[in-house]
Amino acid sequence: MKQVRAAVITEKAKIGLQTFPLPELHEEDLLIKVEMCGVCGSDLHIFKGDWGEPYPLIPGHEFIGIVEAAGSRALRKHQVALGDRVAVEMILPCGTCQPCRAGLYNLCVYDGKEGRQYGCNISSERQPHLYGGWAEYLYVPAQALVHKIPSHVPLKRAVLTEPLAVAVRAVNLTPPRLGDSVAVVGAGPIGLLTVVAAKAAGASPVMLIGSREERLALGKEFGADEVLDYRDRNVLETLQKHLGGQGADIVFETAGTALAQRQSLEYAKPGGVVNYLGLTGNQPVQIETDKQMTFKELTIRSSFLSAWAYQGAIQIIAGGMYPIEKMITHQFSLEDVEEALACSVNRKGKAIKVVLVP
């Protein structure tokens, strides 16, 4: 039987290659040959053990691949053909828990005994093992949500479907009206893609607040009307100057740091909205609720994962208006997974988005 190689986190801060058998497919299952998978900030939290993950674990949820094999009814169910390039949502919803029935399948709780997110909380000991994108193949069961990628879309654009869907969901949850101002806090991959999603939704102007010259420059290419370095002591004053003396209508926090989450409240205008996307790895965040929230009567909400957003992300990617593939600065093989992690953590070579090519 053919053996499949995968990168496995065996314990906190320890990763290596292991092999697993190709799975036997049930009637509605697919087998995906992974072409490329991103390294996400969440993967770094998982590697560091910030959330108590069920090791051993195959990480990777930003995957793209080719349909290589299918059960007897799987192609019809998932509306794909052998050889199609597809994105598979990271969430495996049960469809029966209360959040799923309410349409919040990104919050699926099932019965509390099994993880429901590819590459995040499904142990590699659960058969048929291949529940993460840092592997040569991915197992796709009947309940998975599969999306065909148009054939003209290049691989380096397609692999950004999941992170762009995260941004699209956030924008869908707090949608700008045409001409609403938006501030995006954080110039990492999710922040850059939130600029794209906000511009696609009609926001104007869109302000990107971050650091690192190369990232801010990329933000301009992705549609940001202004870019601001948060290390500038006058950044709030500069933001308000660009917005007619007040803050932004909508602020998207994507950096996932305590500082960014506090400052996001300052960047919103009175009566504005702040949407938190960034994950802090359980860092405590202290805020002055009276001054920063209540006296401004802000609306505060959060956005988690990418439910109901893949189609919007694929439309943006297929449209080709924004050169998002420029985010991908480094790529590594599975054998070099430790180097890929180090590159992403330490931002070696001005790394923005690191990908693995199994």
Side-chain angles (χ1 to χ4, degrees):
M1 179 178 290
K2 182 175 180 178
Q3 296 294 298
V4 177
R5 297 180 309 153
V8 180
I9 303 174
T10 54
E11 56 187 85
K12 182 177 178 179
K14 187 173 181 179
I15 192 167
L17 294 187
Q18 294 184 13
T19 58
F20 300 92
L22 274 179
E24 294 184 10
L25 300 181
H26 299 294
E27 288 183 340
E28 296 184 337
D29 297 346
L30 298 174
L31 183 68
I32 304 299
K33 184 175 183 178
V34 180
E35 295 181 283
M36 189 174 282
C37 186
V39 177
C40 174
S42 297
D43 296 321
L44 306 182
H45 284 305
I46 291 167
F47 181 66
K48 293 187 293 184
D50 290 339
W51 298 319
E53 286 68 29
Y55 304 136
L57 174 82
I58 302 172
H61 57 272
E62 298 180 357
F63 40 76
I64 212 80
I66 299 295
V67 179
E68 182 151 304
S72 60
R73 298 189 303 183
L75 298 179
R76 174 175 292 184
K77 174 179 175 55
H78 296 289
Q79 298 182 39
V80 295
L82 294 177
D84 281 349
R85 176 173 286 160
V86 296
V88 181
E89 296 198 26
M90 65 175 291
I91 308 155
L92 291 172
C94 71
T96 59
C97 69
Q98 190 279 329
C100 280
R101 293 198 304 270
L104 298 171
Y105 65 88
N106 54 314
L107 307 181
C108 177
V109 294
Y110 194 50
D111 61 3
K113 297 179 182 179
E114 293 185 317
R116 310 298 299 178
Q117 298 167 18
Y118 274 118
C120 294
N121 58 19
I122 306 177
S123 170
S124 62
E125 292 181 339
R126 188 204 299 184
Q127 293 189 10
H129 313 294
L130 302 177
Y131 288 103
W134 294 7
E136 293 176 310
Y137 288 87
L138 184 82
Y139 170 67
V140 179
Q143 71 267 34
L145 303 171
V146 181
H147 301 272
K148 182 179 176 179
I149 302 295
S151 59
H152 72 275
V153 176
L155 178 59
K156 281 191 174 182
R157 292 176 64 82
V159 75
L160 297 171
T161 301
E162 193 279 337
L164 180 54
V166 170
V168 169
R169 176 169 178 79
V171 171
N172 286 344
L173 289 175
T174 50
R177 295 167 298 182
L178 286 175
D180 273 356
S181 59
V182 161
V184 177
V185 182
I190 297 296
L192 291 168
L193 292 173
T194 301
V195 168
V196 170
K199 290 298 288 189
S204 181
V206 173
M207 321 287 289
L208 175 62
I209 303 169
S211 63
R212 301 179 185 272
E213 184 177 340
E214 66 278 1
R215 296 184 179 216
L216 294 176
L218 202 54
K220 292 285 284 186
E221 291 193 59
F222 287 8
D225 298 286
E226 298 289 343
V227 295
L228 306 174
D229 192 324
Y230 78 86
R231 295 168 296 185
D232 182 349
R233 285 183 291 182
N234 297 317
V235 65
L236 176 59
E237 180 182 329
T238 305
L239 174 76
Q240 292 174 336
K241 181 179 178 181
H242 283 295
L243 298 179
Q246 60 182 1
D249 292 299
I250 305 171
V251 178
F252 294 100
E253 189 285 313
T254 71
T257 68
L259 175 62
Q261 296 202 343
R262 289 196 303 270
Q263 289 179 331
S264 293
L265 300 170
E266 302 291 337
Y267 299 145
K269 75 174 189 180
V273 179
V274 178
N275 190 332
Y276 288 107
L277 291 74
L279 300 175
T280 66
N282 288 332
Q283 296 177 57
V285 180
Q286 291 185 324
I287 59 174
E288 299 175 52
T289 54
D290 289 357
K291 177 184 176 182
Q292 294 181 290
M293 293 170 53
T294 307
F295 293 168
K296 294 173 69 175
E297 204 171 73
L298 297 182
T299 297
I300 309 296
R301 75 154 304 142
S302 57
S303 180
F304 182 56
L305 303 181
S306 48
W308 305 112
Y310 268 66
Q311 284 303 316
I314 291 170
Q315 286 179 13
I316 293 173
I317 287 173
M321 183 177 294
Y322 306 97
I324 59 175
E325 64 277 5
K326 290 186 177 182
M327 282 176 44
I328 299 175
T329 54
H330 296 73
Q331 62 183 54
F332 296 90
S333 65
L334 276 182
E335 291 84 357
D336 296 323
V337 63
E338 290 183 88
E339 187 179 351
L341 280 166
C343 180
S344 189
V345 169
N346 301 316
R347 298 172 179 171
K348 293 181 179 178
K350 298 182 178 179
I352 299 177
K353 188 67 179 176
V354 176
V355 297
L356 289 170
V357 184

